[in-house]
């Protein structure tokens, strides 16, 4: 028996994916602003990272831009999975959204906490929350016994 998840959850996941893409694009296009954002987030000082010496600033901008590019790709993939497999009620669509989210969230958050940058763990929680409500709300629908 075929089923389709609520349009609300599909649209929610699509919007969450667009937020990830836009955040990633902002890190690519506005590298100095991204560096200031993370400097403020992690050090409560928008100029801490920007004032790094020894040629570190261009490298830090590169790292943030590369992170942004990865987010653009990941968010785009999440949008495609939400719009197709998930929207069609295919279990692999739910897994294709949840597994990468978990595979990113757990190690990134653990490393953030262990290194003392709890602020990044809070940011991670915010991004994870973008996807969690629809995945939690549809888990039973995707994994119930269907005969």
């Amino acid at each position: 028996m075929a089923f389709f998840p609520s349009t609300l959850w599909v649209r929610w996941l699509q919007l969450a994916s667009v937020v990830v893409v836009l955040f990633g694009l902002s890190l690519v296009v506005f590298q100095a602003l991204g560096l200031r954002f993370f400097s403020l987030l992690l050090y409560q000082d928008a100029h801490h990272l920007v004032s790094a010496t020894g040629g570190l600033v261009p490298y830090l901008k590169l790292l943030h831009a590369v992170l942004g590019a990865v987010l653009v790709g990941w968010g785009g993939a999440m949008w495609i999975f939400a719009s197709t497999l998930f929207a069609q009620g295919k279990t692999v669509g739910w897994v294709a959204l949840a597994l990468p989210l978990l595979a990113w969230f757990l190690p990134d958050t653990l490393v953030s906490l262990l290194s003392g940058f709890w602020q990044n763990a809070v940011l991670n929680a915010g991004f994870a929350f973008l996807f969690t409500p629809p995945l939690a709300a549809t888990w039973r629908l995707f994994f119930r016994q269907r005969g």
Side-chain angles (χ1 to χ4, degrees):
M1 173 166 39
F3 76 94
F4 299 96
S6 165
T7 302
L8 168 70
W9 298 129
V10 173
R11 296 284 185 251
W12 182 313
L13 289 167
Q14 288 172 327
L15 180 60
S17 300
V18 168
V19 168
V20 171
V21 168
L22 291 176
F23 183 70
L25 278 175
S26 74
L27 293 177
V28 172
V29 175
F30 305 109
Q31 294 173 15
L33 187 60
L35 192 57
R36 289 184 196 284
F37 168 77
F38 280 100
S39 184
L40 186 61
L41 176 72
L42 301 175
Y43 297 103
Q44 294 74 51
D45 177 3
H47 302 288
H48 184 81
L49 292 175
V50 178
S51 62
T53 59
L56 284 176
V57 172
Y59 180 69
L60 291 172
K61 285 182 180 179
L62 171 68
L63 284 179
H64 286 89
V66 169
L67 170 65
V70 170
L71 287 171
V72 169
W74 184 43
M78 299 292 262
W79 191 90
I80 290 168
F81 294 142
S83 301
T84 58
L85 299 170
F86 180 90
Q88 295 164 4
K90 298 186 187 229
T91 303
V92 69
W94 192 97
V95 172
L97 291 164
L99 188 60
L101 186 68
L102 195 60
W104 153 76
F105 181 80
L106 291 177
D108 190 310
T109 302
L110 182 63
V111 167
S112 296
L113 293 172
L114 290 175
S115 63
F117 291 108
W118 61 267
Q119 304 91 328
N120 193 62
V122 172
L123 181 65
N124 290 351
F127 270 98
F129 181 74
L130 289 173
F131 294 92
T132 302
L135 292 173
T138 60
W139 186 83
R140 291 183 119 184
L141 181 65
F142 279 91
F143 291 97
R144 69 172 185 228
Q145 290 292 331
R146 290 182 244 164

